[in-house]
Amino acid sequence: ISLCNLSFAQVDCEPYKVETIQLSTTDILVRFESNNGSLFWKKIGNYSNPATKPYLALLMQAFTMNNNIVIRYLSDPYTWDSTDFYNIPMMVNLSKG
């Protein structure tokens, strides 16, 4: 079970470890690990979205420095700890925790 904060139909979930970053010709997928060890994939965005490249930079930094990531979604409710190739995050946050 993930810990999430809900406000204004936004979902912020606890920091997760970046396990894998997968780049394709059109989009970026990331496999995260939760605190309980479960693994799941999330679509971070399409290259046509201006936010995708900055998201990728933060994800690469988190992966390299073994820091964690918090991602915010607009969906309410949103099941964080499951694979999702449809919803795109509205925020990516680099965390030391």
Short mmCIF file of all heavy atoms in Angstrom, two decimals, residues 1-16 32 40 42 55 69-82 84 87-93:
data_model
loop_
_atom_site.label_atom_id
_atom_site.label_comp_id
_atom_site.label_asym_id
_atom_site.label_seq_id
_atom_site.Cartn_x
_atom_site.Cartn_y
_atom_site.Cartn_z
N ILE A 1 0.86 -1.18 0.00
CA ILE A 1 0.00 0.00 0.00
C ILE A 1 0.89 1.23 0.00
O ILE A 1 1.81 1.33 0.77
CB ILE A 1 -0.93 0.03 1.23
CG1 ILE A 1 -1.87 -1.18 1.17
CG2 ILE A 1 -1.68 1.32 1.31
CD1 ILE A 1 -2.74 -1.33 2.37
N SER A 2 0.60 2.17 -0.87
CA SER A 2 1.37 3.39 -0.97
C SER A 2 0.76 4.48 -0.11
O SER A 2 -0.45 4.54 0.08
CB SER A 2 1.40 3.87 -2.42
OG SER A 2 2.03 2.92 -3.21
N LEU A 3 1.62 5.34 0.38
CA LEU A 3 1.15 6.49 1.13
C LEU A 3 1.01 7.65 0.17
O LEU A 3 1.96 8.02 -0.50
CB LEU A 3 2.14 6.85 2.23
CG LEU A 3 2.44 5.76 3.24
CD1 LEU A 3 3.53 6.21 4.19
CD2 LEU A 3 1.19 5.39 4.01
N CYS A 4 -0.18 8.23 0.09
CA CYS A 4 -0.44 9.30 -0.84
C CYS A 4 -1.11 10.46 -0.13
O CYS A 4 -1.89 10.26 0.80
CB CYS A 4 -1.34 8.85 -2.00
SG CYS A 4 -0.59 7.60 -3.03
N ASN A 5 -0.81 11.67 -0.59
CA ASN A 5 -1.49 12.86 -0.11
C ASN A 5 -2.40 13.35 -1.22
O ASN A 5 -1.94 13.57 -2.33
CB ASN A 5 -0.48 13.95 0.25
CG ASN A 5 0.42 13.54 1.38
OD1 ASN A 5 -0.04 12.92 2.33
ND2 ASN A 5 1.69 13.87 1.28
N LEU A 6 -3.67 13.55 -0.92
CA LEU A 6 -4.63 14.02 -1.91
C LEU A 6 -5.01 15.46 -1.60
O LEU A 6 -5.33 15.80 -0.48
CB LEU A 6 -5.90 13.17 -1.88
CG LEU A 6 -5.73 11.70 -2.19
CD1 LEU A 6 -7.06 10.98 -2.03
CD2 LEU A 6 -5.20 11.49 -3.57
N SER A 7 -4.95 16.33 -2.62
CA SER A 7 -5.43 17.70 -2.47
C SER A 7 -5.74 18.23 -3.85
O SER A 7 -4.94 18.10 -4.76
CB SER A 7 -4.39 18.57 -1.77
OG SER A 7 -3.22 18.65 -2.54
N PHE A 8 -6.91 18.84 -4.00
CA PHE A 8 -7.32 19.43 -5.27
C PHE A 8 -7.21 18.43 -6.41
O PHE A 8 -6.74 18.74 -7.48
CB PHE A 8 -6.52 20.69 -5.57
CG PHE A 8 -6.60 21.71 -4.50
CD1 PHE A 8 -5.51 21.97 -3.68
CD2 PHE A 8 -7.77 22.41 -4.26
CE1 PHE A 8 -5.58 22.91 -2.67
CE2 PHE A 8 -7.85 23.36 -3.25
CZ PHE A 8 -6.75 23.60 -2.45
N ALA A 9 -7.59 17.18 -6.15
CA ALA A 9 -7.59 16.11 -7.15
C ALA A 9 -6.19 15.80 -7.67
O ALA A 9 -6.02 15.34 -8.78
CB ALA A 9 -8.53 16.44 -8.30
N GLN A 10 -5.19 16.07 -6.85
CA GLN A 10 -3.81 15.72 -7.19
C GLN A 10 -3.34 14.62 -6.26
O GLN A 10 -3.78 14.53 -5.12
CB GLN A 10 -2.89 16.93 -7.04
CG GLN A 10 -3.25 18.07 -7.95
CD GLN A 10 -2.41 19.30 -7.67
OE1 GLN A 10 -1.56 19.31 -6.81
NE2 GLN A 10 -2.65 20.34 -8.43
N VAL A 11 -2.42 13.80 -6.73
CA VAL A 11 -1.90 12.70 -5.93
C VAL A 11 -0.38 12.77 -5.90
O VAL A 11 0.26 12.72 -6.95
CB VAL A 11 -2.35 11.34 -6.51
CG1 VAL A 11 -1.80 10.20 -5.68
CG2 VAL A 11 -3.85 11.25 -6.61
N ASP A 12 0.18 12.94 -4.70
CA ASP A 12 1.62 12.83 -4.48
C ASP A 12 1.84 11.57 -3.66
O ASP A 12 1.24 11.41 -2.61
CB ASP A 12 2.17 14.01 -3.69
CG ASP A 12 2.20 15.29 -4.47
OD1 ASP A 12 1.97 15.25 -5.69
OD2 ASP A 12 2.46 16.34 -3.86
N CYS A 13 2.70 10.70 -4.13
CA CYS A 13 2.97 9.47 -3.41
C CYS A 13 4.38 9.47 -2.87
O CYS A 13 5.23 10.23 -3.32
CB CYS A 13 2.75 8.27 -4.33
SG CYS A 13 1.05 8.13 -4.89
N GLU A 14 4.61 8.60 -1.90
CA GLU A 14 5.90 8.57 -1.23
C GLU A 14 7.04 8.42 -2.22
O GLU A 14 6.84 7.95 -3.34
CB GLU A 14 5.93 7.43 -0.23
CG GLU A 14 5.79 6.06 -0.85
CD GLU A 14 5.66 4.97 0.18
OE1 GLU A 14 4.60 4.89 0.82
OE2 GLU A 14 6.62 4.21 0.33
N PRO A 15 8.26 8.82 -1.85
CA PRO A 15 9.41 8.69 -2.77
C PRO A 15 9.67 7.23 -3.15
O PRO A 15 9.54 6.34 -2.31
CB PRO A 15 10.57 9.24 -1.95
CG PRO A 15 9.95 10.11 -0.92
CD PRO A 15 8.62 9.47 -0.61
N TYR A 16 10.00 7.04 -4.42
CA TYR A 16 10.30 5.71 -4.93
C TYR A 16 11.66 5.70 -5.61
O TYR A 16 12.12 6.71 -6.12
CB TYR A 16 9.23 5.27 -5.94
CG TYR A 16 7.91 5.03 -5.28
CD1 TYR A 16 6.92 5.99 -5.29
CD2 TYR A 16 7.67 3.84 -4.62
CE1 TYR A 16 5.71 5.77 -4.66
CE2 TYR A 16 6.47 3.60 -3.98
CZ TYR A 16 5.49 4.58 -4.01
OH TYR A 16 4.31 4.35 -3.38
N PHE A 32 9.85 1.77 -11.39
CA PHE A 32 10.09 2.21 -10.03
C PHE A 32 10.02 1.04 -9.07
O PHE A 32 9.37 0.03 -9.35
CB PHE A 32 9.03 3.24 -9.61
CG PHE A 32 9.11 4.54 -10.34
CD1 PHE A 32 8.26 4.79 -11.40
CD2 PHE A 32 10.04 5.50 -9.98
CE1 PHE A 32 8.32 6.00 -12.09
CE2 PHE A 32 10.11 6.70 -10.66
CZ PHE A 32 9.25 6.95 -11.71
N PHE A 40 7.06 -1.56 -10.73
CA PHE A 40 6.00 -1.19 -11.66
C PHE A 40 6.54 -0.15 -12.63
O PHE A 40 7.47 0.58 -12.33
CB PHE A 40 4.76 -0.67 -10.93
CG PHE A 40 5.10 0.27 -9.80
CD1 PHE A 40 5.22 1.63 -10.03
CD2 PHE A 40 5.30 -0.21 -8.53
CE1 PHE A 40 5.56 2.49 -9.00
CE2 PHE A 40 5.64 0.64 -7.49
CZ PHE A 40 5.76 2.00 -7.73
N LYS A 42 5.92 3.18 -15.27
CA LYS A 42 5.11 4.38 -15.50
C LYS A 42 5.62 5.07 -16.76
O LYS A 42 6.82 5.13 -17.02
CB LYS A 42 5.24 5.39 -14.34
CG LYS A 42 4.80 4.86 -12.99
CD LYS A 42 3.31 4.72 -12.93
CE LYS A 42 2.87 4.23 -11.55
NZ LYS A 42 1.47 3.92 -11.50
N TYR A 55 11.99 16.18 -17.01
CA TYR A 55 11.67 15.00 -16.18
C TYR A 55 12.77 13.95 -16.33
O TYR A 55 13.23 13.38 -15.35
CB TYR A 55 10.34 14.38 -16.59
CG TYR A 55 9.09 15.14 -16.23
CD1 TYR A 55 7.86 14.67 -16.64
CD2 TYR A 55 9.12 16.32 -15.50
CE1 TYR A 55 6.68 15.32 -16.32
CE2 TYR A 55 7.95 16.99 -15.18
CZ TYR A 55 6.73 16.50 -15.60
OH TYR A 55 5.57 17.15 -15.28
N ILE A 69 12.38 9.61 -6.12
CA ILE A 69 11.52 10.48 -6.92
C ILE A 69 10.09 10.44 -6.36
O ILE A 69 9.59 9.39 -6.01
CB ILE A 69 11.49 9.99 -8.39
CG1 ILE A 69 12.83 10.26 -9.07
CG2 ILE A 69 10.37 10.60 -9.20
CD1 ILE A 69 13.14 11.69 -9.35
N VAL A 70 9.47 11.62 -6.32
CA VAL A 70 8.03 11.73 -6.06
C VAL A 70 7.40 12.24 -7.34
O VAL A 70 7.92 13.17 -7.96
CB VAL A 70 7.74 12.72 -4.90
CG1 VAL A 70 6.25 12.96 -4.76
CG2 VAL A 70 8.34 12.21 -3.60
N ILE A 71 6.31 11.62 -7.74
CA ILE A 71 5.61 12.05 -8.96
C ILE A 71 4.19 12.42 -8.61
O ILE A 71 3.52 11.73 -7.83
CB ILE A 71 5.65 10.95 -10.04
CG1 ILE A 71 7.09 10.72 -10.48
CG2 ILE A 71 4.79 11.33 -11.23
CD1 ILE A 71 7.24 9.70 -11.55
N ARG A 72 3.70 13.51 -9.18
CA ARG A 72 2.34 13.98 -8.94
C ARG A 72 1.48 13.72 -10.16
O ARG A 72 1.87 13.99 -11.29
CB ARG A 72 2.34 15.47 -8.64
CG ARG A 72 0.93 16.05 -8.44
CD ARG A 72 0.98 17.50 -8.08
NE ARG A 72 1.64 17.64 -6.79
CZ ARG A 72 2.23 18.75 -6.37
NH1 ARG A 72 2.25 19.83 -7.14
NH2 ARG A 72 2.81 18.80 -5.19
N TYR A 73 0.30 13.20 -9.91
CA TYR A 73 -0.70 12.97 -10.95
C TYR A 73 -1.96 13.76 -10.63
O TYR A 73 -2.26 14.02 -9.47
CB TYR A 73 -1.05 11.48 -11.06
CG TYR A 73 0.05 10.65 -11.67
CD1 TYR A 73 1.01 10.05 -10.88
CD2 TYR A 73 0.12 10.49 -13.04
CE1 TYR A 73 2.02 9.29 -11.43
CE2 TYR A 73 1.13 9.73 -13.60
CZ TYR A 73 2.08 9.14 -12.80
OH TYR A 73 3.08 8.41 -13.37
N LEU A 74 -2.72 14.12 -11.67
CA LEU A 74 -3.98 14.82 -11.48
C LEU A 74 -5.13 13.88 -11.17
O LEU A 74 -6.15 14.31 -10.67
CB LEU A 74 -4.32 15.64 -12.73
CG LEU A 74 -3.50 16.90 -12.94
CD1 LEU A 74 -3.85 17.54 -14.27
CD2 LEU A 74 -3.73 17.87 -11.81
N SER A 75 -4.99 12.64 -11.49
CA SER A 75 -6.08 11.67 -11.32
C SER A 75 -6.43 11.49 -9.85
O SER A 75 -5.56 11.34 -9.01
CB SER A 75 -5.67 10.32 -11.90
OG SER A 75 -5.35 10.44 -13.25
N ASP A 76 -7.71 11.48 -9.56
CA ASP A 76 -8.18 11.23 -8.21
C ASP A 76 -9.37 10.31 -8.29
O ASP A 76 -10.40 10.69 -8.84
CB ASP A 76 -8.56 12.54 -7.53
CG ASP A 76 -9.07 12.36 -6.11
OD1 ASP A 76 -8.84 11.26 -5.55
OD2 ASP A 76 -9.69 13.28 -5.58
N PRO A 77 -9.30 9.07 -7.85
CA PRO A 77 -8.13 8.48 -7.19
C PRO A 77 -7.13 7.97 -8.22
O PRO A 77 -7.47 7.81 -9.40
CB PRO A 77 -8.73 7.31 -6.42
CG PRO A 77 -9.88 6.89 -7.26
CD PRO A 77 -10.43 8.16 -7.89
N TYR A 78 -5.90 7.72 -7.77
CA TYR A 78 -4.86 7.17 -8.63
C TYR A 78 -4.18 6.05 -7.88
O TYR A 78 -3.76 6.22 -6.73
CB TYR A 78 -3.83 8.24 -9.00
CG TYR A 78 -2.78 7.73 -9.95
CD1 TYR A 78 -3.06 7.60 -11.29
CD2 TYR A 78 -1.53 7.33 -9.50
CE1 TYR A 78 -2.12 7.10 -12.18
CE2 TYR A 78 -0.58 6.84 -10.36
CZ TYR A 78 -0.87 6.72 -11.70
OH TYR A 78 0.04 6.22 -12.57
N THR A 79 -4.06 4.89 -8.51
CA THR A 79 -3.38 3.76 -7.90
C THR A 79 -1.92 3.84 -8.28
O THR A 79 -1.56 3.57 -9.43
CB THR A 79 -3.98 2.42 -8.38
OG1 THR A 79 -5.38 2.44 -8.10
CG2 THR A 79 -3.31 1.25 -7.68
N TRP A 80 -1.10 4.27 -7.34
CA TRP A 80 0.31 4.53 -7.66
C TRP A 80 1.08 3.25 -7.97
O TRP A 80 1.73 3.15 -8.99
CB TRP A 80 1.00 5.26 -6.50
CG TRP A 80 2.46 5.30 -6.76
CD1 TRP A 80 3.41 4.53 -6.17
CD2 TRP A 80 3.15 6.08 -7.75
NE1 TRP A 80 4.64 4.78 -6.70
CE2 TRP A 80 4.51 5.73 -7.68
CE3 TRP A 80 2.75 7.02 -8.67
CZ2 TRP A 80 5.47 6.31 -8.51
CZ3 TRP A 80 3.72 7.59 -9.49
CH2 TRP A 80 5.04 7.24 -9.41
N ASP A 81 1.06 2.29 -7.07
CA ASP A 81 1.97 1.15 -7.20
C ASP A 81 1.47 0.09 -8.17
O ASP A 81 1.37 -1.08 -7.85
CB ASP A 81 2.30 0.56 -5.83
CG ASP A 81 1.07 0.17 -5.04
OD1 ASP A 81 -0.04 0.50 -5.48
OD2 ASP A 81 1.22 -0.45 -3.98
N SER A 82 1.17 0.54 -9.39
CA SER A 82 0.79 -0.36 -10.47
C SER A 82 1.30 0.21 -11.79
O SER A 82 1.54 1.41 -11.90
CB SER A 82 -0.73 -0.52 -10.54
OG SER A 82 -1.33 0.70 -10.86
N ASP A 84 1.38 1.78 -15.35
CA ASP A 84 0.46 2.72 -16.01
C ASP A 84 1.18 3.33 -17.21
O ASP A 84 2.14 4.07 -17.04
CB ASP A 84 0.05 3.81 -15.02
CG ASP A 84 -0.87 4.86 -15.62
OD1 ASP A 84 -1.26 4.72 -16.80
OD2 ASP A 84 -1.20 5.81 -14.91
N ASN A 87 -1.50 7.53 -18.08
CA ASN A 87 -1.43 8.83 -17.38
C ASN A 87 -0.01 9.38 -17.37
O ASN A 87 0.94 8.64 -17.12
CB ASN A 87 -1.93 8.68 -15.94
CG ASN A 87 -3.40 8.37 -15.88
OD1 ASN A 87 -4.22 9.19 -16.24
ND2 ASN A 87 -3.73 7.16 -15.46
N ILE A 88 0.11 10.66 -17.62
CA ILE A 88 1.39 11.36 -17.63
C ILE A 88 1.46 12.23 -16.38
O ILE A 88 0.50 12.93 -16.05
CB ILE A 88 1.53 12.24 -18.89
CG1 ILE A 88 1.34 11.41 -20.15
CG2 ILE A 88 2.86 12.98 -18.91
CD1 ILE A 88 2.36 10.33 -20.37
N PRO A 89 2.60 12.22 -15.65
CA PRO A 89 2.68 13.03 -14.44
C PRO A 89 2.66 14.52 -14.74
O PRO A 89 3.05 14.96 -15.81
CB PRO A 89 4.02 12.62 -13.82
CG PRO A 89 4.81 12.05 -14.94
CD PRO A 89 3.82 11.48 -15.91
N MET A 90 2.20 15.29 -13.76
CA MET A 90 2.22 16.76 -13.89
C MET A 90 3.41 17.35 -13.15
O MET A 90 3.69 18.54 -13.27
CB MET A 90 0.92 17.37 -13.39
CG MET A 90 0.68 17.21 -11.90
SD MET A 90 -0.67 18.19 -11.26
CE MET A 90 -0.04 19.83 -11.37
N MET A 91 4.15 16.55 -12.35
CA MET A 91 5.30 17.02 -11.62
C MET A 91 6.20 15.85 -11.28
O MET A 91 5.72 14.75 -10.98
CB MET A 91 4.83 17.72 -10.34
CG MET A 91 5.91 18.33 -9.47
SD MET A 91 6.71 17.24 -8.26
CE MET A 91 5.39 16.68 -7.24
N VAL A 92 7.51 16.08 -11.34
CA VAL A 92 8.50 15.12 -10.88
C VAL A 92 9.39 15.85 -9.89
O VAL A 92 9.88 16.94 -10.17
CB VAL A 92 9.34 14.58 -12.06
CG1 VAL A 92 10.45 13.67 -11.56
CG2 VAL A 92 8.47 13.83 -13.04
N ASN A 93 9.59 15.24 -8.71
CA ASN A 93 10.35 15.87 -7.64
C ASN A 93 11.48 14.95 -7.21
O ASN A 93 11.26 13.78 -6.92
CB ASN A 93 9.40 16.15 -6.46
CG ASN A 93 10.09 16.80 -5.30
OD1 ASN A 93 10.89 16.17 -4.63
ND2 ASN A 93 9.76 18.04 -5.05
#
